[in-house]
C-alpha cells in the first residue's frame, strides 16, 4: 500500500507553523470594577457569603493591568465592565469604568449606569460615555429601583 499523508488535526499558519484550532472568545458579560465596596451595599456582602467567596475581596482595589492579567490567566478574553448606580448612590461610577476601558480597550467593554430618577441628566451622562468614552450599553437593574421593566422612568 502506498504511503498516504496523515490527516492533520491542526491548522497551519504562516507556512509550516502548526497551531491549535481557534476557540470562541470568552466574554464575561457582567463585571464590576475591582474597587473596594464600602458600607451600604448589603446585597454584595450577601452574594459573597452565599457563594462562599472570600469576603476580603470586597475591600481590595485592583488596577486595570492587574484585572487584565487575572482575566488572561483565567482564559477570559473580554469583559463587559459595568458601572453601578442605585437610588441615592453611585456604587461604581462611569468614570471608574472609563479608567479601565481607556487602560485596555481590547479587553474591557464599558457599560454605563445612570440615576433613573433624574432622566435628563441620565440621558446627558449616557450620551457622553457612549460618544466620548466608547461605552457600548446601559445597565438597568429594575429590582434595585423598585420599578418594573416597563416603567416610564426607562423611557425619557
Amino acid at each position: 500500500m502506498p504511503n498516504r499523508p496523515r490527516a492533520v488535526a491542526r491548522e497551519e499558519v504562516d507556512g509550516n507553523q502548526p497551531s491549535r484550532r481557534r476557540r470562541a472568545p470568552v466574554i464575561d458579560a457582567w463585571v464590576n470594577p475591582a474597587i473596594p465596596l464600602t458600607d451600604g451595599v448589603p446585597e454584595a456582602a450577601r452574594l459573597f457569603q452565599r457563594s462562599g467567596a472570600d469576603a476580603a475581596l470586597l475591600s481590595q482595589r485592583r488596577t486595570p493591568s492587574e484585572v487584565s492579567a487575572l482575566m488572561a490567566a483565567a482564559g477570559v478574553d473580554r469583559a463587559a465592565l459595568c458601572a453601578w448606580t442605585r437610588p441615592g448612590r453611585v456604587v461604581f461610577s462611569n468614570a471608574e469604568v472609563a479608567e479601565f476601558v481607556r487602560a485596555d480597550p481590547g479587553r474591557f467593554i464599558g457599560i454605563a449606569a445612570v440615576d433613573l430618577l433624574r432622566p435628563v441628566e441620565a440621558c446627558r451622562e449616557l450620551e457622553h460615555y457612549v460618544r466620548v468614552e466608547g461605552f457600548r450599553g446601559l445597565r438597568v437593574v429594575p429590582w434595585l429601583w423598585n420599578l418594573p421593566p416597563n416603567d416610564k422612568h426607562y423611557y425619557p
Side-chain angles (χ1 to χ4, degrees):
M1 196 173 241
N3 285 340
R4 295 169 59 179
R6 288 185 305 143
V8 177
R10 294 189 255 178
E11 300 171 8
E12 290 196 10
V13 178
D14 295 331
N16 57 10
Q17 291 287 356
S19 69
R20 294 182 184 191
R21 291 180 194 248
R22 291 186 139 189
R23 67 172 175 79
V26 176
I27 301 172
D28 191 333
W30 185 352
V31 176
N32 295 117
I35 59 175
L37 279 175
T38 56
D39 295 333
V41 189
E43 60 272 15
R46 270 195 310 275
L47 287 171
F48 271 68
Q49 181 182 17
R50 288 182 181 172
S51 69
D54 182 2
L57 293 172
L58 290 170
S59 63
Q60 294 180 356
R61 176 176 293 277
R62 301 243 187 222
T63 66
S65 61
E66 288 172 326
V67 175
S68 288
L70 290 168
M71 289 171 59
V76 177
D77 299 300
R78 306 219 45 209
L81 196 60
C82 302
W84 183 358
T85 300
R86 58 183 301 145
R89 176 143 191 250
V90 174
V91 180
F92 301 124
S93 73
N94 291 320
E96 290 167 313
V97 170
E99 176 187 340
F100 279 75
V101 173
R102 284 191 300 268
D104 196 344
R107 184 158 315 265
F108 298 115
I109 303 162
I111 305 296
V114 295
D115 185 342
L116 299 175
L117 302 179
R118 299 175 54 203
V120 173
E121 294 87 351
C123 286
R124 287 184 187 134
E125 184 172 5
L126 178 60
E127 183 175 25
H128 167 79
Y129 282 96
V130 168
R131 291 181 188 254
V132 176
E133 300 290 351
F135 281 30
R136 303 273 180 89
L138 172 68
R139 176 182 176 207
V140 176
V141 184
W143 62 266
L144 277 175
W145 296 90
N146 200 25
L147 298 170
N150 61 349
D151 191 87
K152 66 181 179 179
H153 283 94
Y154 302 128
Y155 305 98

